Amino acid sequence: MSLISMAWRNIMIRKIQTIITLIIIAVGVALTLSTLIMASGLKEGIVEASKPYGMIVGSKGSANQLVFNTIFLMDTPLGNLPLSFYESLKTDERVKQAVPFALGDSYKGYRLVGTTGEFFELRSKPSDPPYFQLLEGSFFEHPFEAVIGHKAAEATGLQIGDTFRSGHGVVQALEDDDSHAQHPYTVVGILDKTNAPADLGIYVSMESYWISHDQMEGLEEHEEVAHEELEELEELEEHDEQEEEQGVTAVLVNPYGYIGLMQLYNEINNGNQAQAVFPGQVLAKVFDMMGNGELVLQYISYVVIGMAALTIFLSLYSSTLERRRSIAILRTLGARRKSIFAIVMLESFLVVSFGSLIGLALSYVVSAGITSVISGQSTIAIALTFSWDHISVISIVCLIGIIAGIIPAILAYRTEVVRNLNSV
Amino acid sequence: MLTLRNITKSYAAVNGEAPLTVLNLPNLSIKAGEKAALTGPSGSGKSTLLNMIAGMIRPSTGSITLLNTDIAKLSEQQMDTFRATHIGYIHQSFHLLPGYTALENILIAMRFANSFKSSQHLPRAKELLSRVGMEHRSNHKPSQLSSGEQQRVAIARALANQPSLILADEPTANLDAANREKVLTLLIEICSDLQTALLLCTHDLSLVKYTDRTIQLHEGSSLFEKEKRIHVSY
């Protein structure tokens, strides 16, 4: 009979204590790992979503806002960059690809993005296939053709061949879908799922975007504002008004090399017309903010793990006291002190290992459950991926559990044979 | 096979009193296969002597030689292995490991000795249980066994590593009259069959008839002086 099977048997003898200890360890580990899995999965999802966009150039203002506009299709757009600025970037010899990106109109709350066909050639890595793939149909070739994101298609019910009319800005579009009634768009393509906010976009050509806005200006000159609500909306439309000059909200820049990239970055940011941002840097700041909440959860899980260590200690300590006679019998049978020490340490190791494994499984189940619940509400795909960090957490928990077993093991090691044999 | 010379066991002085000598044994030897009874009143040092031969207590002076090995000179680890391999110990309270079956109690005893290969452990444990008439109770835990059955398992366990010497400390004291006879007869019979020496410690003089000779320990008149004297009679 091996020492490990003896240790296992000893654990099984005190089932209730063992189960309680296992539960506490499992909860502590699950709490810690779920926090890590969810946080890292969310970060990974966001980073993945930002990869195709390269360096983003937009008007001076909030870098966060620029990234949120472009990658998440959220927030009020910054003021437009003049078309000439975009063209100068496009012709810059250091720039491999400059893709215009214009926000303004929307349909049923889903934003229209004015861009060019190059947008659909963006890649996460040069060796990767294009990030945007068609699920059906084709990319736009003519004005007033639209390619819609997967989630936007699902939500709006638009299909190939359908037509729709956009509204000016997000707010007005929700109030009144007919503001651009003279420019119906025809759906020519539906994008495959990217599991990113890009799924929410409706992509049209720049020409459509500009024509639409020129006509919108003409239309607005002849319209009287009848409702008080519309006056209130004017403030919200302030930024949308700025887009009505021919320009772009942002330019997605992919340079030929790193040196050129950094030169451009510095030149643009040192100028007074535009800013250049790397999504990764901006997102890192966002992650730092998320980190505070993550830290609170982690502290809670550390407390639970501490409790688990204390439970292991108390369980082993009391059981060692209870079975001093058994230990003395083992010594009589020839068990060495170090064998006794090893048995108690193995008990500690087995309990903490099983508890950690249960916790690991539980953490994935919990994370998968939470992900499935929030996936319906979020466009960011939370990837449940294995990470060596999880093994590190489990190793630390095991180490803590083993440390908790040291004092009871020493107590067992020092058990005096004759005295405990004779105590009935 | 077993020789004890000038064995004393004393405990250090407390509060200025003279050191307490609990055992003072000039000479004692037991031959291979011999069955000897060690008798004497409670407190005469019988258990102390057995624990000393088993290497669980070190003598203050003197030597204990078993199978040509002076066990007093062995390190604790060497003594553990030596005890597991060459000495079987039967206790008054059986001292089976709770939570382990009868079979497992024997397997554990074999785990700590070097007498048999691992592959031989299970068949030998089963054979020993069969020898003491407990094969049908091999998967029962001590709490599921009667006192007589527990002591039979304890005998099987003591024999697990084919020891040269069995030390039995009041092995029948917790048994009823019927079981006392059966268990002791079984123990003597097995020791005879296996040519294993037996040192049977008892205060029950009716048991000495089963052994080849009797060693009687007397508490000396010098108890008042914290000293016990031992007389060996044949």
Side-chain angles (χ1 to χ4, degrees), chain A residues 1-3 6 9-10 13 325-326 329-339 417-418 421 424, chain B residues 51 56-57 76-77 80-81 83-84 89 91 93 95-100 104 108-109 111-112 157:
Chain A
M1 193 171 223
S2 65
L3 293 184
M6 290 171 71
R9 181 56 66 87
N10 290 343
I13 287 170
R325 194 165 167 206
S326 294
I329 295 168
L330 281 173
R331 297 274 293 118
T332 313
L333 295 175
R336 294 180 177 180
R337 285 184 192 276
K338 64 180 182 186
S339 300
V417 181
V418 176
L421 268 184
V424 179
Chain B
N51 286 332
M56 294 189 293
I57 298 176
E76 188 181 71
Q77 287 191 7
D80 289 334
T81 306
R83 177 170 59 247
Y89 209 132
H91 304 269
S93 305
H95 283 342
L96 295 179
L97 289 162
Y100 292 86
E104 287 167 342
I108 287 172
R111 157 89 184 64
F112 297 110
R157 186 179 66 180

Side-chain angles (χ1 to χ4, degrees), chain B residues 21-89:
Chain B
T21 301
V22 294
L23 195 67
N24 186 350
L25 185 66
N27 284 303
L28 172 65
S29 62
I30 292 177
K31 295 173 197 161
E34 187 180 17
K35 289 170 279 297
L38 184 65
T39 66
S42 292
S44 59
K46 302 190 294 295
S47 296
T48 301
L49 182 59
L50 254 58
N51 286 332
M52 218 174 267
I53 295 169
M56 294 189 293
I57 298 176
R58 301 268 174 180
S60 301
T61 61
S63 69
I64 300 171
T65 308
L66 178 61
L67 299 169
N68 301 318
T69 303
D70 187 349
I71 62 171
K73 289 181 180 169
L74 295 178
S75 69
E76 188 181 71
Q77 287 191 7
Q78 287 170 328
M79 187 61 230
D80 289 334
T81 306
F82 187 85
R83 177 170 59 247
T85 309
H86 300 294
I87 301 171
Y89 209 132

Side-chain angles (χ1 to χ4, degrees), chain B residues 96-134:
Chain B
L96 295 179
L97 289 162
Y100 292 86
T101 64
L103 188 69
E104 287 167 342
N105 263 277
I106 299 168
L107 289 171
I108 287 172
M110 297 167 91
R111 157 89 184 64
F112 297 110
N114 300 323
S115 304
F116 299 96
K117 290 178 186 169
S118 306
S119 58
Q120 293 175 288
H121 288 186
L122 189 60
R124 179 164 173 79
K126 286 180 176 175
E127 182 192 322
L128 285 165
L129 277 176
S130 173
R131 182 72 182 82
V132 297
M134 290 294 292

Side-chain angles (χ1 to χ4, degrees), chain A residues 72 130 151 170 178 191 248 297 310 324 340 361 377 419:
Chain A
F72 298 97
K151 209 149 192 169
V170 177
D178 292 332
L191 293 174
V248 294
L297 279 173
L310 191 64
R324 277 182 297 190
I340 302 293
Q377 301 158 11
R419 186 191 304 158

Side-chain angles (χ1 to χ4, degrees), chain A residues 347-408:
Chain A
E347 287 175 29
S348 171
F349 175 73
L350 285 173
V351 171
V352 80
S353 304
F354 276 99
S356 297
L357 287 176
I358 295 168
L360 176 66
L362 198 62
S363 66
Y364 277 94
V365 170
V366 168
S367 302
I370 294 173
T371 304
S372 72
V373 168
I374 63 174
S375 64
Q377 301 158 11
S378 167
T379 49
I380 300 289
I382 300 174
L384 297 185
T385 51
F386 170 80
S387 160
W388 286 104
D389 285 350
H390 306 166
I391 299 298
S392 304
V393 169
I394 288 177
S395 305
I396 291 167
V397 172
C398 286
L399 190 66
I400 291 169
I402 289 167
I403 289 169
I406 288 177
I407 291 175

